Amino acid sequence: QHPLPPQMWSNSINQASKMALLAWEKETGIELVQINGQRRYGGPPPGWVGGPPPGSTEVYIGKLPQDMYENTLIPLFQSVGKLYEFRLMMTFSGLNRGFAYAKYSSQSGARNAIATFNNFQVREGCAIVVCRSTQKRELSLDGLAASVTQGELEATLQQATEGVLSVTLHASPCQRQAKLAVLKYSSHQAAALAKKALMEGNLRIGGSGMKVEWLHPDLKQKLRLWEKTSSSSRVHGDKILAVPKPGALRPPLQDVLDVLNTLCWKQHLGKPLFLTKCLQVNPDGWLRFWYQVVIPGYPVPFSGFTWVQQDGQGRSGHEEAKAAVALHILQVLGESLVSPH
């Protein structure tokens, strides 16, 4: 049996919703333009007079069902204020990527959207997240050669990009023998252009696995925590621990999860869902895990890598990883665990 060619496969996904979208476009005369993985309505919409509204009129919409499209979303978000632009992030297969941005003609439109639609059930059991959109200006550049210096990197970035304000170098949390840089730019536009240039460019400073991404809030917090921890608690041989090990504090797993669940319950965020996958087992008992934690009311999932060591007290590597990650999330959410001893 031969696999379906990609276009057949992507067309066969979710056909009813796609047909409904096409019918709606035809009926309303609305034109949706898809560029680089996002589909856009408006910017400006038909009949718009004057310049674009300020950035503060944009909201972020998250946790969307992936088979929901503009024929449902635009009328919904249009119902609380006049839309200037609506951008839905798309996958190659024609599903949405679970998030979108709606820019209103005024700040009151954005406020109404947040008040009306944050935690709104667009379907039974599918509550969406709607919050103010932040204009991102920071990039993370992972997989840099371990030998690269601050001066070399700054000189290269000044040549390859415009508007760079600051550069900081860290040990990479994901790749051994590599460095990660955080780049701050003067504006969202400058950062977006730099991201494009760095992704397309052939920089000598990077290894083969160099990755350019928007700086994830979770990674930003993690790097901040690292600065505070001593190098001895972070380095085991030549391995970097992605989630800082909290020294001698090794609280029982259930205690950490109870504290995290209680905190999430108090803040109406819903129960955290943990996914852990063991990627590497070393002879000395250290295990490398990938993790993702989804907290329903939190705008972005927490994900990354952590090294853990089995404690010999019957706890599995997955439980160790869960405890380390839960501790880290508590720190991110502004909660600190105090050792009972």
Side-chain angles (χ1 to χ4, degrees), residues 24 45 61 119 144 177 202 247 255 308:
W24 174 78
I61 304 153
N119 289 324
L144 295 171
Q177 307 294 343
N202 186 11
D255 288 7
V308 296

Coordinates of all heavy atoms in Angstrom, one line a residue, residues 24 45 61 119 144 177 202 247 255 308:
W24 N -17.9 30.2 3.3 CA -18.0 31.4 4.0 C -17.3 32.5 3.3 O -17.8 33.7 3.1 CB -17.5 31.2 5.4 CG -17.4 32.5 6.2 CD1 -18.4 33.1 6.9 CD2 -16.2 33.2 6.5 NE1 -18.0 34.2 7.6 CE2 -16.6 34.3 7.4 CE3 -14.9 33.1 6.2 CZ2 -15.7 35.3 7.8 CZ3 -14.0 34.1 6.6 CH2 -14.4 35.1 7.5
P45 N -8.8 46.1 6.9 CA -10.0 45.5 6.3 C -10.6 46.4 5.3 O -10.3 47.6 5.2 CB -10.9 45.3 7.5 CG -10.5 46.4 8.5 CD -9.1 46.7 8.2
I61 N -4.8 35.0 21.1 CA -5.8 34.0 21.3 C -5.1 32.6 21.3 O -4.5 32.2 20.3 CB -6.9 34.0 20.2 CG1 -7.5 35.4 20.1 CG2 -8.0 33.0 20.4 CD1 -8.0 35.8 18.7
N119 N -11.2 32.3 28.7 CA -11.8 31.1 29.3 C -13.2 30.8 28.7 O -14.0 30.0 29.3 CB -11.9 31.2 30.8 CG -10.6 31.1 31.5 OD1 -9.8 30.3 31.0 ND2 -10.4 31.8 32.6
L144 N 25.2 27.5 19.5 CA 26.4 28.2 19.0 C 27.7 27.4 19.4 O 27.7 26.7 20.4 CB 26.5 29.6 19.7 CG 25.4 30.6 19.4 CD1 25.5 31.8 20.3 CD2 25.5 31.0 17.9
Q177 N 28.2 20.9 25.0 CA 29.3 21.6 24.4 C 28.9 22.7 23.4 O 29.4 22.8 22.3 CB 30.2 20.5 23.6 CG 30.6 19.3 24.4 CD 31.6 19.7 25.5 OE1 32.2 20.7 25.5 NE2 31.7 18.8 26.4
N202 N 24.2 32.3 6.8 CA 25.1 31.2 7.1 C 26.2 31.7 8.1 O 27.2 32.2 7.7 CB 25.8 30.7 5.8 CG 26.6 29.5 6.0 OD1 26.6 28.9 7.0 ND2 27.4 29.2 5.0
G247 N 20.0 22.2 45.2 CA 20.9 21.8 46.2 C 20.5 20.6 47.0 O 20.2 19.5 46.3
D255 N 4.5 16.1 47.4 CA 4.5 17.4 48.0 C 4.6 18.5 47.0 O 3.9 19.5 47.0 CB 5.7 17.6 49.0 CG 5.4 16.7 50.3 OD1 4.5 16.0 50.3 OD2 6.2 16.8 51.2
V308 N 18.4 14.4 35.2 CA 18.1 14.0 36.6 C 18.9 12.7 36.9 O 19.3 12.0 36.0 CB 16.6 13.7 36.8 CG1 15.8 15.0 36.7 CG2 16.1 12.6 35.9

